[in-house]
Amino acid sequence: HNFEGPSYTIFLPSIIARQNQTSTRSSSTPQAIMPPNTSISVDNLHDETQLWADLTVDSWKNSVRNKDSVFYDLYHDTRRRVVEACHKHTYDVVVEIGCGTGEVIGFLEGTGTPRIGVDINEDFINHCKLTYTDEGLEFHVADAMKLDEWWTSMGYDKKYKAPLMVCPNNTIMIMPEEIRDTVIDKMRVVAGIEGRIVVTYWNGRMFAHGVMGYYRKNSDLCGTFDLTDEHVDWENKKIETRTSYKSEWPTSLDVSRWMASLNINVDVVEAEMKDTPEIDHIAEVGMGVYLWLKGVSPANDSVGSARDYYDNKDSQTFYRTVWGENNTHVGRHDLVAQDPKFANADLLTKIRKAQELQEECFMEKVKSHYGGAKVRCMDMGCGYGGLLRNMAKNDMIWSAVGVDISGEMVDAATRLSIEVPSLTFFRESYMNTSVPADGMDLCISSEAFLHVGPGNHEAVFREAWRVLRPGGRLIFTDIVGLPSAPPEAQALYERIGLQSFQTVEGYFETAKKLGFGELLFEDHSENVSTHYGTVLEALEELWEKKEIKILEESKDRMVNGLTKWRDLAPSCLQWGLISMRKLEKTEHSVLDESPSF
């Protein structure tokens, strides 16, 4: 591996939630395929937590720092992936659940973020506090079962927006099985909309290697055992020693089944993949199995609802099949109707041509401000990245960054833009990007801002203000509400998790508050109803021909929504191009920022 760092091997951490009673595990059913909320007989419970709380620091430290450990490569690969994830994203803190003696979180200084290690073992935490004294590195005794409550009590929910939650080294499988589901859930809650979690398991395919190459070598740590059914369950990849130390090694399929039991749909990707995809995924890499999941959003949160909608497999199939794998924005159907060549064109051709014409109009607007000069550009809510690729094709881009909250969109944009080196894509919120301040000539967007709702549009514009150079421009299209919209408009904005739509005047008021000027709106509202009506027809036609593979319930939901957009748009909505320029700084342009750590 190319990761440079101290030569420490993996360790076996110990955060176990404080519980009065925890269970022994069934010898016949692997945890990875147990349904949630499985009942456990009280007669079979014993205090496994105490085992971990009483372990000494030296018993861990002295057994794991040898280079011939079977986990050596996994340890370095885990650290590499965490560091790279922090460099690619706006994660503002790394939190390790079950930090043990600190051999992971203590050596992640390359992340450039604050770091927090938590463990149930007070001796471990005291050791970490004495051993690791880097600025911005904290250690706390905490209960994984109450992680969200602890997070809030510490005030971290206000301090950090995008935590990367890390639970490495099979920690989750050493925990009592009846708390594992809850710990996964608590990690995702703390990660929130902009954060992510990564859990590493010890690979069940390598269980025999681990038994002989790790447990046998560390009997003083893990306890002695015989190679008999009493101690080693070879079929289900479990071990329990004479000291009641227990561990399980799942395969990627086991982890997939476990997540399915929690209603978390996650793909198993190519084994030994060096890069880390942005989608939720499971990957086997050497001695380990990685699980990457996005955080969960609070109830009724529009940002989280939009992310989950666009990450949904049926939604992705719908957009790629009907809208096309280049763009997901409203098109200029009025211009298509003026061209007799498209009078008898099929529906999909009309949709794509309308989108193409819209992008041509958009690029002409950009050229009217920048002429033939190439620009540094950020696309806020870039989707599949089609507009940036089109601008690059037309020699308008010096360098560009596309950000989107959907991992599915970002992975697709990266794949489709592989031959366009001037473009880079990040899975980030456009309200909180990693783009340097004053580094962009232009910010663009296509129908993305409506998803976060009017209450967040000041944050959207403030981020645009931050990344734009003085005199830079924000140019975007969006669907907004008519001030005179009837009550029926509620059916539209509630469908996407909003309490109302923004208006053109509302956008302008926010822009002026932050110091933007030269405000302009070009109205092309007649295209909204036509666009959604055409998309609706195309979807129904594809379904009738069995040429789109989505669930019927998804199709019915889409038809219902598209019908509402088609029928209510004329009386409720406006759509067009909005542009503005960064002029004078105001007291609202920049929020007071405290040091990172």
Side-chain angles (χ1 to χ4, degrees):
H1 299 287
N2 295 323
F3 183 90
E4 296 293 332
S7 298
Y8 290 95
T9 61
I10 205 162
F11 75 104
L12 196 59
S14 69
I15 186 167
I16 305 295
R18 294 190 184 277
Q19 301 217 89
N20 293 329
Q21 294 174 314
T22 59
S23 77
T24 59
R25 287 187 260 291
S26 164
S27 62
S28 60
T29 306
Q31 163 64 15
I33 59 174
M34 286 180 65
N37 303 319
T38 302
S39 61
I40 302 171
S41 170
V42 175
D43 294 336
N44 293 328
L45 298 178
H46 71 272
D47 193 355
E48 185 179 345
T49 302
Q50 196 61 41
L51 168 69
W52 299 103
D54 291 344
L55 285 168
T56 66
V57 170
D58 286 341
S59 68
W60 290 107
K61 282 181 56 182
N62 296 337
S63 67
V64 299
R65 292 187 177 182
N66 51 79
K67 288 188 176 181
D68 62 349
S69 168
V70 297
F71 300 115
Y72 184 74
D73 287 342
L74 177 62
Y75 169 66
H76 282 281
D77 190 65
T78 301
R79 289 169 56 206
R80 175 185 69 83
R81 291 176 189 271
V82 171
V83 169
E84 288 182 355
C86 289
H87 289 174
K88 289 175 62 178
H89 298 286
T90 51
Y91 301 130
D92 48 12
V93 64
V94 177
V95 184
E96 184 182 355
I97 310 304
C99 65
T101 51
E103 278 80 3
V104 174
I105 196 72
F107 295 97
L108 288 176
E109 63 277 1
T111 61
T113 67
R115 291 167 283 154
I116 301 172
V118 296
D119 201 288
I120 200 68
N121 187 311
E122 188 172 358
D123 287 341
F124 284 3
I125 293 300
N126 290 335
H127 161 78
C128 289
K129 289 179 177 179
L130 292 173
T131 304
Y132 308 104
T133 57
D134 293 353
E135 184 180 4
L137 178 57
E138 305 175 24
F139 294 93
H140 299 277
V141 175
D143 182 343
M145 288 283 283
K146 300 178 181 178
L147 190 64
D148 54 341
E149 296 177 20
W150 171 80
W151 187 256
T152 301
S153 72
M154 296 293 291
Y156 292 146
D157 61 321
K158 301 292 191 298
K159 186 175 183 180
Y160 300 115
K161 295 180 180 179
L164 178 59
M165 310 296 294
V166 182
C167 186
N169 312 335
N170 216 38
T171 304
I172 197 75
M173 299 307 288
I174 302 165
M175 296 181 185
E177 65 182 275
E178 71 275 11
I179 75 170
R180 297 174 192 165
D181 295 355
T182 301
V183 173
I184 291 285
D185 179 65
K186 298 297 184 183
M187 291 177 65
R188 296 181 74 207
V189 169
V190 171
I193 300 168
E194 299 181 35
R196 205 175 185 192
I197 81 167
V198 54
V199 180
T200 59
Y201 304 83
W202 290 345
N203 191 347
R205 298 184 190 279
M206 303 292 185
F207 179 64
H209 191 32
V211 169
M212 304 308 296
Y214 182 76
Y215 295 124
R216 277 293 203 187
K217 287 184 177 181
N218 294 286
S219 59
D220 56 332
L221 166 63
C222 304
T224 60
F225 60 93
D226 296 325
L227 299 178
T228 64
D229 291 344
E230 179 182 359
H231 295 123
V232 181
D233 181 348
W234 297 101
E235 180 181 357
N236 293 311
K237 304 169 185 64
K238 300 180 182 182
I239 185 170
E240 179 170 0
T241 69
R242 291 186 176 90
T243 58
S244 294
Y245 166 88
K246 294 186 247 182
S247 184
E248 303 175 38
W249 291 40
T251 64
S252 56
L253 181 58
D254 292 329
V255 177
S256 178
R257 288 170 176 165
W258 178 9
M259 292 302 105
S261 75
L262 302 177
N263 295 317
I264 300 172
N265 294 317
V266 55
D267 293 329
V268 178
V269 300
E270 178 185 350
E272 308 304 323
M273 184 180 290
K274 182 178 180 181
D275 296 329
T276 302
E278 296 299 336
I279 59 171
D280 288 357
H281 70 278
I282 299 164
E284 290 190 10
V285 179
M287 292 294 293
V289 175
Y290 287 89
L291 169 68
W292 288 82
L293 297 175
K294 56 180 172 283
V296 296
S297 57
N300 301 318
D301 182 273
S302 58
V303 181
S305 297
R307 180 203 61 185
D308 294 342
Y309 170 72
Y310 283 109
D311 275 344
N312 178 271
K313 289 183 179 179
D314 280 355
S315 295
Q316 285 291 312
T317 301
F318 165 64
Y319 281 109
R320 287 171 177 160
T321 306
V322 182
W323 298 60
E325 198 180 36
N326 215 37
N327 299 298
T328 57
H329 57 70
V330 174
R332 289 294 300 273
H333 291 266
D334 56 334
L335 300 180
V336 174
Q338 295 171 18
D339 191 335
K341 291 186 298 185
F342 294 95
N344 298 315
D346 63 83
L347 296 170
L348 295 184
T349 298
K350 288 182 177 180
I351 291 170
R352 285 155 178 72
K353 185 60 180 179
Q355 292 176 320
E356 178 186 326
L357 291 170
Q358 161 56 21
E359 293 197 350
E360 289 179 5
C361 294
F362 193 101
M363 290 188 292
E364 286 302 315
K365 174 58 65 174
V366 172
K367 289 176 181 178
S368 71
H369 294 298
Y370 296 94
K374 293 183 179 181
V375 298
R376 300 165 298 171
C377 180
M378 178 170 73
D379 190 341
M380 306 173 75
C382 63
Y384 295 134
L387 180 53
L388 285 181
R389 284 192 297 277
N390 206 351
M391 292 175 68
K393 179 181 177 181
N394 282 272
D395 208 28
M396 298 173 63
I397 296 293
W398 180 260
S399 64
V401 173
V403 298
D404 202 288
I405 200 68
S406 165
E408 289 278 357
M409 292 293 195
V410 169
D411 279 346
T414 301
R415 171 176 53 81
L416 293 167
S417 307
I418 195 167
E419 295 183 357
V420 190
S422 59
L423 306 185
T424 306
F425 298 93
F426 296 131
R427 188 189 61 81
E428 296 179 343
S429 166
Y430 50 63
M431 294 184 287
N432 179 32
T433 75
S434 57
V435 175
D438 303 322
M440 293 291 159
D441 305 299
L442 173 68
C443 288
I444 62 174
S445 186
S446 301
E447 287 96 72
F449 296 163
L450 80 155
H451 288 294
V452 300
N456 288 309
H457 285 153
E458 185 170 323
V460 174
F461 283 10
R462 185 175 290 113
E463 183 63 5
W465 171 278
R466 185 186 69 80
V467 305
L468 284 170
R469 64 165 173 80
R473 294 181 184 273
L474 170 61
I475 302 176
F476 64 98
T477 58
D478 209 5
I479 296 173
V480 296
L482 280 168
S484 59
E488 287 78 12
Q490 182 176 356
L492 293 176
Y493 56 71
E494 285 186 347
R495 180 178 174 271
I496 54 176
L498 300 177
Q499 296 181 347
S500 65
F501 280 122
Q502 184 59 279
T503 62
V504 173
E505 187 56 38
Y507 268 138
F508 283 179
E509 288 177 4
T510 301
K512 287 183 284 188
K513 178 180 178 181
L514 297 181
F516 285 100
E518 298 183 18
L519 310 176
L520 174 71
F521 173 61
E522 294 183 5
D523 193 344
H524 302 288
S525 301
E526 68 273 19
N527 290 280
V528 179
S529 181
T530 307
H531 182 81
Y532 284 106
T534 308
V535 169
L536 172 61
E537 284 187 67
L539 173 60
E540 291 179 318
E541 183 178 284
L542 289 167
W543 180 264
E544 184 68 25
K545 294 179 179 179
K546 296 182 169 53
E547 293 179 356
I548 185 169
K549 295 181 179 180
I550 57 177
L551 297 175
E552 186 170 5
E553 62 187 59
S554 296
K555 185 270 298 183
D556 291 343
R557 185 170 59 251
M558 292 169 183
V559 167
N560 179 266
L562 291 167
T563 302
K564 286 184 170 65
W565 285 101
R566 180 197 64 189
D567 294 346
L568 294 176
S571 62
C572 298
L573 302 175
Q574 285 183 288
W575 174 75
L577 185 144
I578 296 175
S579 65
M580 57 190 67
R581 191 178 187 191
K582 178 178 177 177
L583 297 179
E584 297 180 353
K585 182 178 179 179
T586 74
E587 61 179 317
H588 304 288
S589 300
V590 180
L591 294 178
D592 291 334
E593 295 183 356
S594 57
S596 298
F597 52 85

